[in-house]
Amino acid sequence: MPLFSNNKNTQAGERGDHFRLGVWLRLHGVDLITMALMGALGLGIYEAPPAPSRSFPVYFQDGEVVYPQFAYPLRKEIIPIYAAALIAFLVPFFFFTIFQVRRRSLNDWLTTTMGLLKSLITAAVFQVFLKWLIGGLRPHFYAVCQPNVQANVAPFGTGFASLMYDRSVCTGDKDQIDDSLESFPSGHSTAAWAGLFYLALYINAQLKVMSAHNSAYWKMILMFSPLLGATLISGALTIDEFHNWYDVLAGAIIGTCTALVAFRQTFAAVFDFRFNHVLLPRSTSLFHRNPFLVAGMQSPFFTYHVATEDLPVTREGGWGWGKEAFNGAPGDATVLMRGRQQGSGARNRPAEVPTNAYGV
């Protein structure tokens, strides 16, 4: 049974068709279960103590502190980790919801949000694994560790000139020491870029900031706003001395990568303005079989015309006029589409372009 009801005169997925939540849940049920398992795995690793036994110097033989960059005082976080995670989800979710004033598609709303969650959860699990197995010293490590090191008194140093110690010399709070040994990579940065970079891609796709039309300047500002937010969240970690610059950079790279993949897994393109607003189809899953696909009545690679629901939020630049698919760089796939349409004698008819169809 398709996600939307069909009849002979109605293209599946057009506005007015009936969205079936039960079918959507069956189609995405495996993903929902996988995300729940990944979230539980990430939380378990996050709560686990650091896996490696890290060695570190404290003083040179003349009593000078070896790494003063790890001797900053422990400060209160400017943005707590829970706040960074909430911002990374709620801000994109707010825009997904606002844009539904124009989109008016429950499938679009749910599937786009699921793409965001895929980015956030994948990035979170990736970074907690690195924290657990690699980690590193936070800038306030010495202040939290409060090492008690005295010459010729146990515990004795190891390594060359006996300069190296492990956490056995620490006299501070155990939980704070555990946390201060897991600096790399930054969880704040990872969450911020996984969520807000996904939002920037979504704004670009829906408002066609980068397209064949010179769009309004406010759209560019709106697209860069989440990137500014992610940068500020990341940068705040170096102000309150909770992370080193390379921890922040690594988190930003992880979050950006998961956002790119999650967005492309959800939509037909990342930067190709003709298709990056179009949801990719999900026709079958472990919990749902499409009878039309099984019977050979549909192709797993659906085609559709530019229906109302297949349009982005913007109407600027001719979107909705039926000419969207003809805009593109010389020599790209647009040439093939022009040739196909000219050959059919349907110059003024909306082109068929790959789209969201299960039928959605």
Side-chain angles (χ1 to χ4, degrees), residues 115-116 118-124 126 190-191 193-195 197-198 201 251-265:
L116 171 65
K118 288 178 181 178
S119 177
L120 289 171
I121 293 173
T122 304
F126 197 103
T190 302
W193 285 93
F197 189 72
Y198 185 97
L201 294 175
I253 292 173
I254 294 169
T256 300
C257 289
T258 59
L260 282 168
V261 175
F263 190 88
R264 181 58 184 85
Q265 188 181 30

Side-chain angles (χ1 to χ4, degrees), residues 163-285:
L163 290 176
M164 307 303 293
Y165 298 89
D166 60 26
R167 64 178 299 166
S168 63
V169 302
C170 295
T171 62
D173 180 78
K174 177 182 180 301
D175 291 337
Q176 289 184 342
I177 295 171
D178 285 345
D179 183 67
S180 67
L181 287 169
E182 295 184 332
S183 185
F184 178 90
S186 165
H188 289 68
S189 297
T190 302
W193 285 93
L196 297 179
F197 189 72
Y198 185 97
L199 173 59
L201 294 175
Y202 181 77
I203 291 174
N204 173 56
Q206 293 298 328
L207 298 183
K208 301 304 173 188
V209 180
M210 295 184 289
S211 68
H213 171 74
N214 187 351
S215 60
Y217 178 46
W218 68 265
K219 296 183 178 182
M220 177 180 174
I221 296 174
L222 186 62
M223 175 186 169
F224 271 95
S225 294
L227 301 181
L228 174 61
T231 304
L232 290 174
I233 292 174
S234 303
L237 300 166
T238 63
I239 295 175
D240 58 27
E241 303 300 343
F242 258 76
H243 279 290
N244 307 290
W245 67 266
Y246 46 84
D247 304 329
V248 172
L249 177 61
I253 292 173
I254 294 169
T256 300
C257 289
T258 59
L260 282 168
V261 175
F263 190 88
R264 181 58 184 85
Q265 188 181 30
T266 305
F267 294 92
V270 176
F271 296 111
D272 190 327
F273 69 91
R274 295 165 298 167
F275 312 121
N276 58 0
H277 64 282
V278 177
L279 287 177
L280 289 172
R282 172 70 66 87
S283 56
T284 61
S285 75

Side-chain angles (χ1 to χ4, degrees), residues 53-133:
S53 178
R54 183 173 294 276
S55 297
F56 51 87
V58 180
Y59 300 113
F60 286 115
Q61 291 173 317
D62 61 0
E64 180 183 358
V65 175
V66 176
Y67 291 134
Q69 62 266 37
F70 298 131
Y72 285 95
L74 175 62
R75 301 174 181 175
K76 185 177 181 179
E77 291 176 295
I78 297 176
I79 302 176
I81 183 60
Y82 71 85
L86 286 176
I87 292 171
F89 173 77
L90 291 179
V91 173
F93 184 73
F94 171 79
F95 279 95
F96 301 162
T97 303
I98 290 296
F99 281 9
Q100 290 308 315
V101 173
R102 171 78 77 171
R103 300 282 287 167
R104 287 180 286 173
S105 169
L106 186 56
N107 173 65
D108 177 84
W109 184 60
L110 291 175
T111 307
T112 302
T113 302
M114 174 172 280
L116 171 65
L117 289 173
K118 288 178 181 178
S119 177
L120 289 171
I121 293 173
T122 304
V125 174
F126 197 103
Q127 65 93 12
V128 295
F129 259 112
L130 293 181
K131 277 182 176 292
W132 180 48
L133 294 175

